[in-house]
């Protein structure tokens, strides 16, 4: 765990030192103090670039050097082996093709390079998206690390590459650059087909919603309650690999036994009994309350913030009404990833210094609590990013194809 804690601390501190400046402000700085002679950049811009480079390198190296770390690592090594042997595998064309190209290039099953390529582009798209779209990078990056997005990318490789691409593609949705948005999503779906869902969700989130449209959405949500079995059958048709598995009941909620909460440690143990869906309901509801409080000043009339607002609202509806769908969390994450952009924008819009500091304190406490909870379960099945092992000192255990066991 020391590797992850050190990584989180160092990158968050570096992220806190980064300060974005507007183009006009940068131009003004170049003509005053801080300009580098003949270079055309200020000391601030240079420090930002160096810090971003160090953050990228640290995140990439920790991810790329791992071996047998992550819930799906051994499974992916098996899929890569079968794909190279021209066997049928459940992974997408992009994943299989990339694997075959790397294996053919090196002449052996070099799965380490495949994982490194995924790590490179996942970190790259996340950082590009946060830098280009966040109104306060240091807050966005803090939430990104504390809410486990980076660490979960070590566990769920293909999906988090798709999630990073989804976050990056939001810039095209806001600008209504539909050809680039569609191209971005279609390319990303070659590595995880669930990404295709944002072609609908993100388009819906940017619509100028009217009251009657919200009413229709309410009826659709109600239909999920009344027609649960029919929707579940449809979900299994779309994702046949979930049929007759325990994932079909994944959304069942577990309530907290508040009577057992008698200390801070007791609170953490109690919160661990919550499912991912319940935690996300709480998170979406908290963001909704903050957004409603600042709606007139920060959200209304702002196309970007309205997109985040409706993304959060749709995510809340999905987590409340669709918990019985096996892959609901994957759909919801495409919407809740906007929190790392939306919350900093809302905080920035609070004019009263005292209120702004109070909200910041709540966000910090909530994010750190989530990080502690996540790390306490980081070695459990479903995450399994602990213990951290690197191919520099450890070997990969035999996969199914090598042992002959099923």
């Amino acid at each position: 765990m020391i590797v992850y804690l050190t990584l989180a601390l160092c990158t968050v501190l570096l992220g806190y030192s980064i300060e974005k400046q507007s183009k006009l402000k940068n131009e003004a700085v170049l003509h005053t103090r801080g300009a580098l002679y003949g270079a055309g950049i200020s000391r601030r811009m240079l420090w930002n670039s160096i810090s971003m480079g160090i953050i990228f390198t640290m995140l990439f190296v920790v991810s790329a050097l791992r071996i047998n770390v992550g819930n799906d690592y051994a499974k992916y090594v098996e899929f890569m082996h079968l794909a190279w042997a021209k066997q049928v595998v459940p992974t997408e064309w992009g994943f299989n093709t990339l694997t075959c190209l790397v294996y053919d290039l090196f002449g052996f099953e070099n799965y380490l390079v495949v994982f490194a390529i995924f790590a490179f582009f996942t970190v790259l798209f996340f950082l590009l998206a946060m830098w280009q779209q966040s109104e306060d990078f240091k807050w966005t990056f803090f939430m990104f690390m504390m809410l486990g997005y980076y660490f979960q990318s070590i566990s769920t490789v293909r999906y988090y590459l798709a999630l990073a691409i989804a976050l990056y593609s939001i810039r095209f949705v806001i600008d209504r650059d539909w050809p680039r948005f569609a191209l971005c999503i279609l390319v990303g779906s070659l590595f995880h087909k669930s990404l295709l869902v944002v072609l609908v969700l993100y388009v819906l989130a940017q619509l100028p919603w009217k009251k009657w449209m919200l009413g229709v959405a309410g009826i659709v949500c109600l239909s999920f309650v009344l027609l649960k079995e029919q929707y579940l059958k449809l979900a299994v048709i779309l994702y046949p690999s979930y049929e007759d598995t325990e994932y079909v009941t994944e959304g069942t909620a577990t309530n907290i036994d508040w009577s057992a909460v008698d200390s801070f440690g007791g609170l953490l143990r109690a919160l661990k009994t919550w499912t991912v869906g319940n935690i996300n309901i709480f998170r979406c509801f908290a963001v909704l309350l903050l957004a409603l409080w600042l709606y007139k000043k920060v959200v209304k009339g702002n196309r970007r913030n309205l997109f985040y607002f409706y993304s959060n609202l749709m995510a809340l509806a999905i987590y409340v009404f669709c918990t019985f769908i096996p892959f609901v969390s994957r759909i919801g994450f495409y919407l809740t990833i906007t929190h790392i952009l939306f919350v900093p924008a809302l905080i920035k819009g609070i004019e009263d210094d005292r209120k702004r500091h109070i909200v910041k304190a709540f966000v910090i406490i909530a994010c750190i609590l989530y990080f502690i909870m996540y790390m306490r379960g980081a070695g459990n099945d479903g995450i399994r990013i602990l213990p951290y092992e690197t191919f520099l000192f450890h070997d990969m255990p035999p996969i199914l194809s090598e042992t002959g066991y099923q």
Side-chain angles (χ1 to χ4, degrees), residues 17-33:
S17 71
I18 293 176
E19 190 69 41
K20 289 180 66 175
Q21 297 170 310
S22 67
K23 183 178 179 181
L24 291 177
K25 187 176 181 180
N26 281 333
E27 291 176 350
V29 171
L30 292 178
H31 293 290
T32 57
R33 60 184 178 85

Side-chain angles (χ1 to χ4, degrees), residues 92-394:
E92 287 80 4
W93 179 87
F95 177 87
N96 301 336
T97 302
L98 175 63
T99 296
C100 292
L101 288 175
V102 170
Y103 282 15
D104 288 339
L105 178 63
F106 284 88
F108 65 98
E109 298 187 28
N110 196 340
Y111 52 84
L112 295 173
V113 172
V114 179
F115 281 111
I117 292 173
F118 270 88
F120 180 90
F121 285 103
T122 300
V123 174
L124 178 66
F125 279 115
F126 269 129
L127 288 180
L128 280 176
M130 289 186 284
W131 176 254
Q132 293 173 355
Q133 300 180 58
S134 176
E135 294 192 24
D136 196 330
F137 176 82
K138 56 180 175 289
W139 273 97
T140 293
F141 185 75
F142 171 76
M143 294 181 67
F144 170 74
M145 293 300 293
M146 293 297 100
L147 295 178
Y149 287 113
Y150 167 74
F151 300 104
Q152 194 61 27
S153 73
I154 293 175
S155 179
T156 315
V157 177
R158 288 164 42 247
Y159 174 75
Y160 270 77
L161 172 62
L163 186 64
I165 292 173
L167 184 66
Y168 179 78
S169 74
I170 290 175
R171 58 179 298 198
F172 302 125
V173 178
I174 302 301
D175 294 337
R176 295 178 180 173
D177 188 346
W178 302 120
R180 290 189 183 183
F181 169 64
L183 178 63
C184 194
I185 300 306
L186 291 175
V187 171
S189 68
L190 297 177
F191 299 92
H192 205 286
K193 62 184 178 182
S194 69
L195 183 59
L196 292 172
V197 75
V198 305
L199 290 174
V200 176
L201 295 180
Y202 285 2
V203 171
L204 289 176
Q206 64 84 42
L207 292 176
W209 282 78
K210 308 297 183 183
K211 290 182 179 179
W212 68 268
M213 297 169 69
L214 292 173
V216 172
I219 295 173
V220 172
C221 290
L222 185 60
S223 72
F224 281 102
V225 177
L226 301 176
L227 304 173
K228 181 182 296 186
E229 293 185 3
Q230 287 76 10
Y231 279 113
L232 189 56
K233 289 179 181 178
L234 177 61
V236 171
I237 291 174
L238 295 175
Y239 276 81
S241 59
Y242 284 109
E243 189 173 8
D244 299 325
T245 68
E246 69 275 13
Y247 298 108
V248 173
T249 58
E250 169 181 272
T252 304
T254 303
N255 294 323
I256 289 181
D257 181 10
W258 292 106
S259 62
V261 179
D262 55 1
S263 64
F264 179 73
L267 175 62
L268 290 178
R269 287 191 297 273
L271 288 175
K272 284 180 68 176
T273 66
W274 249 7
T275 61
V276 172
N278 275 332
I279 292 174
N280 282 312
I281 288 173
F282 178 81
R283 206 171 100 188
C284 291
F285 187 69
V287 171
L288 178 61
L289 289 179
L290 181 62
L292 290 174
W293 177 43
L294 299 166
Y295 187 84
K296 290 184 178 179
K297 292 183 179 180
V298 182
V299 179
K300 187 177 181 180
N302 186 309
R303 191 164 67 193
R304 181 179 298 275
N305 289 342
L306 280 171
F307 173 85
Y308 300 150
F309 178 84
Y310 287 117
S311 292
N312 179 69
L313 199 60
M314 284 194 293
L316 181 59
I318 287 173
Y319 286 124
V320 170
F321 296 101
C322 305
T323 54
F324 60 91
I325 297 178
F327 46 90
V328 65
S329 61
R330 292 183 175 181
I331 297 174
F333 284 170
Y334 286 127
L335 297 167
T336 58
I337 187 65
T338 60
H339 288 174
I340 67 175
L341 301 174
F342 193 25
V343 172
L346 292 172
I347 291 175
K348 188 176 181 180
I350 302 174
E351 297 177 355
D352 186 280
D353 289 340
R354 180 175 173 274
K355 293 179 180 179
R356 186 169 61 253
H357 291 322
I358 291 175
V359 172
K360 284 183 177 181
F362 274 111
V363 172
I364 291 173
I365 293 171
C367 289
I368 292 178
L369 279 175
Y370 187 93
F371 181 73
I372 294 172
M373 289 166 52
Y374 181 83
M375 282 301 166
R376 283 171 65 93
N380 298 340
D381 290 339
I383 302 178
R384 224 185 61 77
I385 62 172
L386 287 176
Y388 180 80
E389 296 180 347
T390 169
F391 65 80
L392 299 175
F393 307 109
H394 302 87

